Amino acid sequence: MTHRRITKRKAVVAGAAATGVIAAAILLPNANASQTGPGSETVVPQKMTAASAARLAKKLGDQLGNAYGGAYYDAGKQQLIINVVGDDNDIDVQVARAGAVPREVRNSTAALKSAARTLTSRATIPGTAWAVDPRTNQVLVTADRTVTGDRWERLETTVKSLGDGVARIQKSKGEFKPFADGGDAIFGGGARCSLGFNVTTQQGQRGFLTAGHCGVAAERWTDENGAQLGTVQAATFPGEGDFALVTYDDPGADAADVVDVGGGQKVPIRGAAEAAVGQQVFRMGSTTGLRDGQVTGLNATVNYPEGTVTGLIQTTVCAEPGDSGGALFTRDGAAIGLTSGGSGNCDVGGETFFQPVTTALAAVGARLP
């Protein structure tokens, strides 16, 4: 069988629907946009990109210790908001001088992480998920429609035991599951998924990242015409992530570092970046094309029927079966995540979770441009 060149296949992403083409029109004109700070006054909040906000949040989080209560990105104002526990004016000044906006809150990051550990030990129930929401300074616990009866009571009791204002529960109309049943991008073992990002391994081979639950479903993957694409080299699911590395069987595969967003438009991928709560992100998948939304939580734990997955990104971006493994990226071409799963669909919405690309690259020993 003759291998098709990667630029001719549809495995990068399938043709986008009409909504995807519209989203591409919004995305592409500003693909190289960037922002700069407003001036030299260090006490004035600086305008920054989501990527620079994520880097500054990590730095300040390390510096503030127990006074740190998380951070989020105000996309409208292009500012970083730092949650500060207590009313220590010196810390507020420190945050302001760094270019961020201090905000007084009740719960420290350490306290919220402790609450999440309690949920893990007492309420690991299929159909539940939780992540720290820095905008409310709480752990947001989500239960899908399958969590009823004794399981709901157990979850509710655990949340109440955490104390007032530490966590809250929301109900999802859908059902948490990996998005691996549909689409027409890459095929293996009866599963249908989406290709995420092309990468280069430590050995210099070309390959791509996709969802781990796709990688454990089949070792060999083909395109929609049955032509062999590649072989799984590593896959994690469930557990500490949902990612897989597939290397191309054709050593000469023309695997471009782009995401095809439909309508003949492609977004160059310039590297990987950490997600920031509040930032706008775009997802491309083989079923629903190009969609956008906002990051709502980091280090999320999701209890799928197949098992628990930790360390995910929670977003408002919709997804459907077949979108699994698809690329989550920013307007300026930073690779953020790989589609894992969630609830709902692109008609009613829902919660969707993504594997951070930075973690996946480190685990499999691969790199982006």
Side-chain angles (χ1 to χ4, degrees):
M1 180 178 293
T2 302
H3 294 294
R4 301 175 66 200
R5 290 291 184 182
I6 201 68
T7 53
K8 295 181 181 180
R9 58 171 171 76
K10 294 183 180 178
V12 175
V13 277
T19 53
V21 175
I22 293 172
I26 296 172
L27 169 65
L28 291 169
N30 298 303
N32 295 313
S34 63
Q35 296 80 29
T36 58
S40 59
E41 293 293 331
T42 57
V43 295
V44 175
Q46 296 178 7
K47 287 188 176 182
M48 59 188 76
T49 65
S52 59
R55 290 191 294 269
L56 180 57
K58 185 179 186 308
K59 179 180 178 181
L60 287 173
D62 292 339
Q63 293 176 352
L64 299 182
N66 290 333
Y68 183 61
Y72 64 94
Y73 182 62
D74 186 329
K77 295 181 179 180
Q78 297 177 335
Q79 294 176 348
L80 173 65
I81 313 301
I82 297 291
N83 292 334
V84 178
V85 178
D87 56 359
D88 189 325
N89 186 63
D90 289 341
I91 291 179
D92 290 347
V93 170
Q94 179 183 353
V95 169
R97 284 179 175 171
V101 179
R103 170 177 176 253
E104 185 178 338
V105 297
R106 175 180 178 179
N107 301 310
S108 69
T109 297
L112 295 175
K113 287 182 177 179
S114 176
R117 289 194 294 270
T118 299
L119 286 164
T120 298
S121 64
R122 300 182 186 176
T124 298
I125 301 166
T128 61
W130 47 81
V132 173
D133 180 359
R135 287 173 295 190
T136 62
N137 190 229
Q138 294 178 321
V139 177
L140 175 59
V141 181
T142 306
D144 72 15
R145 64 188 178 192
T146 68
V147 182
T148 59
D150 291 343
R151 295 195 301 171
W152 170 259
E153 291 182 7
R154 175 181 161 194
L155 180 64
E156 193 172 37
T157 298
T158 303
V159 169
K160 288 181 179 179
S161 74
L162 300 175
D164 292 338
V166 176
R168 72 185 192 280
I169 304 177
Q170 69 176 14
K171 289 285 287 183
S172 174
K173 295 180 180 179
E175 181 178 345
F176 289 138
K177 56 186 177 182
F179 291 130
D181 299 321
D184 59 359
I186 56 175
F187 297 75
R192 302 175 181 180
C193 293
S194 296
L195 186 149
F197 299 99
N198 286 316
V199 298
T200 302
T201 70
Q202 290 178 326
Q203 293 74 32
Q205 293 177 281
R206 291 294 275 166
F208 61 85
L209 296 177
T210 188
H213 63 268
C214 300
V216 300
E219 182 181 5
R220 315 268 304 181
W221 287 84
T222 66
D223 66 13
E224 73 279 10
N225 294 319
Q228 186 68 36
L229 285 177
T231 304
V232 174
Q233 302 300 323
T236 296
F237 179 84
E240 297 180 356
D242 185 1
F243 57 89
L245 170 67
V246 181
T247 53
Y248 288 110
D249 292 335
D250 180 358
D254 185 9
D257 295 308
V258 301
V259 173
D260 187 341
V261 295
Q265 306 286 353
K266 296 181 181 181
V267 176
I269 296 301
R270 311 180 191 282
E274 301 288 350
V277 171
Q279 79 178 122
Q280 183 186 34
V281 285
F282 297 83
R283 176 196 57 74
M284 191 66 197
S286 64
T287 301
T288 57
L290 182 65
R291 305 284 175 156
D292 74 310
Q294 190 178 82
V295 175
T296 58
L298 303 177
N299 198 27
T301 295
V302 186
N303 297 301
Y304 293 124
E306 296 85 351
T308 299
V309 179
T310 60
L312 301 183
I313 301 166
Q314 184 169 344
T315 79
T316 62
V317 187
C318 71
E320 295 183 6
D323 289 328
S324 280
L328 184 75
F329 56 99
T330 65
R331 185 186 298 276
D332 58 358
I336 299 293
L338 307 164
T339 308
S340 174
S343 66
N345 54 48
C346 288
D347 290 327
V348 302
E351 303 78 25
T352 305
F353 301 92
F354 295 83
Q355 164 66 45
V357 168
T358 52
T359 305
L361 289 172
V364 301
R367 59 178 172 81
L368 284 164

